[in-house]
Amino acid sequence: KNQVEQSPQSLIILEGKNCTLQCNYTVSPFSNLRWYKQDTGRGPVSLTIMTFSENTKSNGRYTATLDADTKQSSLHITASQLSDSASYICVVSPNLHYGGSQGNLIFGKGTKLSVKP
Amino acid sequence: EAGVTQFPSHSVIEKGQTVTLRCDPISGHDNLYWYRRVMGKEIKFLLHFVKESKQDESGMPNNRFLAERTGGTYSTLKVQPAELEDSGVYFCASSQVEGVLAEAFFGQGTRLTVV
């Protein structure tokens, strides 16, 4: 069964500190891996999209890494801000050529990040 | 430009009743997706429209769920009759292009509670 596992489930950090969120997946073959930020009461917002051939991608203070060999990804947040408090969701897209479909994304449960002043 | 909008934001209905959720995608987006998150679980795919056609409905849980997208613009998701396990947050998303890197923009979701 294709799965996406995230850790930790929740995390509390102080404003200004860095943190790293982890994502392990078993989806194979896969097309791309995405990180989304979801604020409470809102829909997920895309942070990064990486294909299997990319190792790292940055979006401001967010940097995602991908190791397709070990099937692991991480999201590093630098100099955290109070507005970073949200759930961060790792999403894997199965390969279209092997029966996957564009919208049939496989979501992790997310890591709930709380940034305290 | 308006984003993806969903109506209503919350709905509380009794078991056995019917509920219709609506999604207005971003203007010009041919691809429209429905997802849902039930309590304590991850978000799961329900179906994908390309314009008015169902491209993939493999995630629809059973025949109590009916999705339509007449005219290829807004979409509705009807649950009839609703059961307790249908409670959750239903998300709609849309994308402009097809392909593996199509970025989907999500609505804020409709929280459905079946009592």
Side-chain angles (χ1 to χ4, degrees), chain B residues 27-113:
Chain B
S27 178
H29 283 196
D30 288 340
N31 296 278
L32 185 150
Y33 318 87
W34 283 98
Y35 301 89
R36 84 171 170 179
R37 168 181 269 179
V38 297
M39 182 74 73
K41 301 279 190 176
E42 67 273 19
I43 297 172
K44 287 193 174 179
F45 168 80
L46 295 178
L47 87 160
H48 169 204
F49 283 101
V50 178
K51 297 184 181 179
E52 68 275 9
S53 300
K54 292 175 184 175
Q55 183 80 3
D56 180 355
E57 54 184 330
S58 61
M60 295 288 266
N62 52 62
N63 58 11
R64 294 185 294 102
F65 289 75
L66 175 64
E68 296 180 320
R69 192 182 181 196
T70 307
T73 54
Y74 70 90
S75 174
T76 58
L77 179 64
K78 180 189 289 187
V79 185
Q80 179 183 30
E83 298 290 345
L84 299 178
E85 64 264 23
D86 300 332
S87 295
V89 182
Y90 290 76
F91 292 102
C92 175
S94 70
S95 68
Q96 186 172 31
V97 298
E98 292 194 52
V100 298
L101 294 180
E103 181 173 354
F105 297 86
F106 284 77
Q108 83 281 9
T110 293
R111 181 174 293 277
L112 174 66
T113 303

Side-chain angles (χ1 to χ4, degrees), chain A residues 10-25:
Chain A
S10 61
L11 181 62
I12 301 174
I13 62 173
L14 293 177
E15 186 179 11
K17 297 296 186 182
N18 303 337
C19 68
T20 300
L21 313 180
Q22 301 290 345
C23 173
N24 295 340
Y25 60 92

